[in-house]
Amino acid sequence: NALFLEANAISPAKAQEIADLVIQAGGDCIDGGVIGAASQLTKGTFTVLSGPRANELENLGSLGLAVEVVGDKLGQASALKMMNAGLFHGLTTLMLELMFGARGWGILPQVLRLYERRSPGMLGQLAPLIETTSRHGDRRSREMAELLEAFSTVEFSPRSIATGRDILSEMAHLEPAKSQEWSEIIATFTEFRQHGTS
């Protein structure tokens, strides 16, 4: 049977629904998830795969793509992708809120220095996410919504993920005045990162 790779950022249940449609049409489905920036597919980003035939796509490595089979069940790769998104989008929204408060107190540069001192490298890891929040906030909000849907299947309703979803959605649809305020905060963060932490 023909193979179909589903690699969008969707919940395991949605991945299973798609797999069912593919199977009904006479094909087989492999669940996948891209971990990292799509623009870096051959430079650190990797793709996780799961499903009964997932190992058949391991040869994508010969094309320069990093692939890892993480399980033999459909939905496992999607769940891993969701958990990755939850961590980094959650850290991003927490950092954005903290920076907003720090700016209000007039201590944003000092707070950034403190964070870099306490957790060296953390700001550098979050920088690509923070600096592109306005541009990608809507998509990331949808990913957090998918994660909430995924958690509903294990009878758990995390509050911080719902809050992160709402913050990202708001960031993507800010009024001009508020958008400018957030842009100034992110610009301060970016300048701090570019000029070092000393």
Side-chain angles (χ1 to χ4, degrees), residues 67-129:
V67 297
E68 297 177 19
V69 175
V70 297
D72 59 3
K73 295 181 177 62
L74 291 169
Q76 290 174 312
S78 287
L80 200 57
K81 164 71 175 177
M82 291 290 91
M83 296 300 284
N84 179 72
L87 173 63
F88 286 98
H89 297 343
L91 288 174
T92 299
T93 54
L94 174 61
M95 180 63 71
L96 286 166
E97 288 202 306
L98 290 169
M99 288 196 301
F100 191 91
R103 180 178 185 268
W105 285 317
I107 58 167
L108 180 53
Q110 295 93 321
V111 165
L112 293 174
R113 281 195 295 272
L114 171 65
Y115 291 161
E116 187 64 26
R117 181 178 179 182
R118 292 298 311 278
S119 298
M122 178 186 70
L123 298 183
Q125 285 192 311
L126 292 179
L129 293 168

Side-chain angles (χ1 to χ4, degrees), residues 5-174:
L5 172 62
E6 167 48 60
N8 289 297
I10 57 176
S11 69
K14 197 166 290 181
Q16 184 63 61
E17 289 177 14
I18 292 171
D20 291 342
L21 292 173
V22 171
I23 292 168
Q24 288 174 20
D28 284 324
C29 191
I30 294 177
D31 181 30
V34 178
I35 309 293
S39 61
Q40 302 292 313
L41 281 177
T42 59
K43 301 176 182 178
T45 291
F46 58 99
T47 301
V48 292
L49 307 170
S50 71
R53 296 180 63 186
N55 62 327
E56 295 181 37
L57 289 188
E58 286 183 304
N59 61 1
L60 289 175
S62 64
L63 302 177
L65 303 176
V67 297
E68 297 177 19
V69 175
V70 297
D72 59 3
K73 295 181 177 62
L74 291 169
Q76 290 174 312
S78 287
L80 200 57
K81 164 71 175 177
M82 291 290 91
M83 296 300 284
N84 179 72
L87 173 63
F88 286 98
H89 297 343
L91 288 174
T92 299
T93 54
L94 174 61
M95 180 63 71
L96 286 166
E97 288 202 306
L98 290 169
M99 288 196 301
F100 191 91
R103 180 178 185 268
W105 285 317
I107 58 167
L108 180 53
Q110 295 93 321
V111 165
L112 293 174
R113 281 195 295 272
L114 171 65
Y115 291 161
E116 187 64 26
R117 181 178 179 182
R118 292 298 311 278
S119 298
M122 178 186 70
L123 298 183
Q125 285 192 311
L126 292 179
L129 293 168
I130 290 172
E131 293 166 5
T132 58
T133 300
S134 298
R135 191 163 69 247
H136 297 298
D138 201 44
R139 174 179 59 78
R140 292 171 185 165
S141 174
R142 291 195 301 272
E143 289 180 358
M144 293 295 261
E146 291 286 341
L147 180 56
L148 283 171
E149 181 180 318
F151 271 122
S152 69
T153 64
V154 292
E155 298 182 359
F156 177 58
S157 300
R159 288 170 288 187
S160 60
I161 292 170
T163 301
R165 173 203 59 197
D166 295 342
I167 292 170
L168 288 165
S169 180
E170 288 172 17
M171 288 286 291
H173 304 96
L174 288 172

